Amino acid sequence: MKIGIIGTAKAGKTTIFNTITGLDAGTGLYDQKIEPNIGTVQVLDERITHLSEIYKPKKTIYATTEFLDFPGMQENAENHEFLSAVSMNLMRTTDALMVVLRNFSEPVLDDTYGKADPLDHIRRISEEFILSDLVIAENRLEKIELGYKRGIRTPAVQIEEKAIRTIIEALGNEIPLRKITLPEEELKAVRGFQFLSLKPIMVILNSDEKNFNQNQEILDKLSALDYLPIEFAGKFEMELSRMDETEAAIFMEDIGIKESGILRVTKTAYHLLGYISFFTVGPDEVRAWTINKGDNAVTAAGKIHSDLARGFIRAETFCYADIVTHGSEKVIREKGLFRLEGKTYLVQDGDILNIRFNV
């Protein structure tokens, strides 16, 4: 999973990035970057920890998430937000975007970038994505029409044209593409364009210690706009991430933070993207795998290795809750909770799989 962190200049993106990744990228007033900061973190899952305690494997492998902290969006001469073409193209490779909105005041920042206005900033970022997507869609339509004049009119191109026209109409009405529904064949035809307004978006409301937990009205308005908002006390939480767990827990309780930053972000990301986890276990390795909710057993097998999908026979399956309750696979088998599932079985969050295959 790859998540791009974006926002206006000095909104606290890199502070949030440091909080989540444990890295120490520069966050000073005059720190400027051209390339994104990149960090990879483990998706901490207590189920994997518990399974590792049961199986005592040589290796324990958690799922991972890669975060890209992009340069801040700056004002250009026409008073619009912008990012470089390089950043925009890299942003398109992400699975989801995390928009950080400044919700704190500092005299120098207020004088330089204007007062914090989270709702205005999210509006302008959305407009920037819509404009960028519209340019791509219109350019593609021109090429399709030129192809028609040259006699290139295949069924696949006609499906794509239909999708592109629907997209242009929506974007022209300032509707983000994630709010429209395209038939599966049309969505597949345009998936390669990686439209920014089609990407799932979560929002970080970056407050300070003084106003943290006092911004329900803003959070409600963001939710009403179909965003998934999470409130952070950015600078404070970056300091917390550098403390030991016991000390950090005391300060978190004082300010009303219930979970670590990385846990809140990954939970929201999994929900936003419709991801679930299944596990493989044994004396050599206990490992978490990430798939989409609704994926079948063959897809899950292919996540482990392409040969397992190609030669799939059956999936030996039981669930995490059963191993917690009964303590061993032997008891699970005795109680009839061990199952053999076929190709069409829809894998559930927390399933433990062993793939039978023959290549």
Side-chain angles (χ1 to χ4, degrees), residues 82-119:
F82 79 100
L83 277 168
S84 70
V86 173
S87 288
M88 282 284 199
N89 289 335
L90 187 55
M91 202 180 293
R92 294 182 192 282
T93 68
T94 62
D95 298 305
L97 295 171
M98 187 167 74
V99 181
V100 177
L101 303 174
R102 180 162 71 95
N103 190 43
F104 58 87
S105 287
E106 288 185 7
V108 176
L109 292 183
D110 291 348
D111 289 343
T112 306
Y113 301 105
K115 291 186 177 180
D117 190 341
L119 295 172

Side-chain angles (χ1 to χ4, degrees), residues 3 16 40 57 89 125 135 168 177 205 230 234 248 306 321 357:
I3 298 177
I16 301 299
T40 301
N89 289 335
I125 290 169
V135 170
I168 289 174
L177 297 183
L205 186 66
I230 315 170
S306 58
F357 72 106

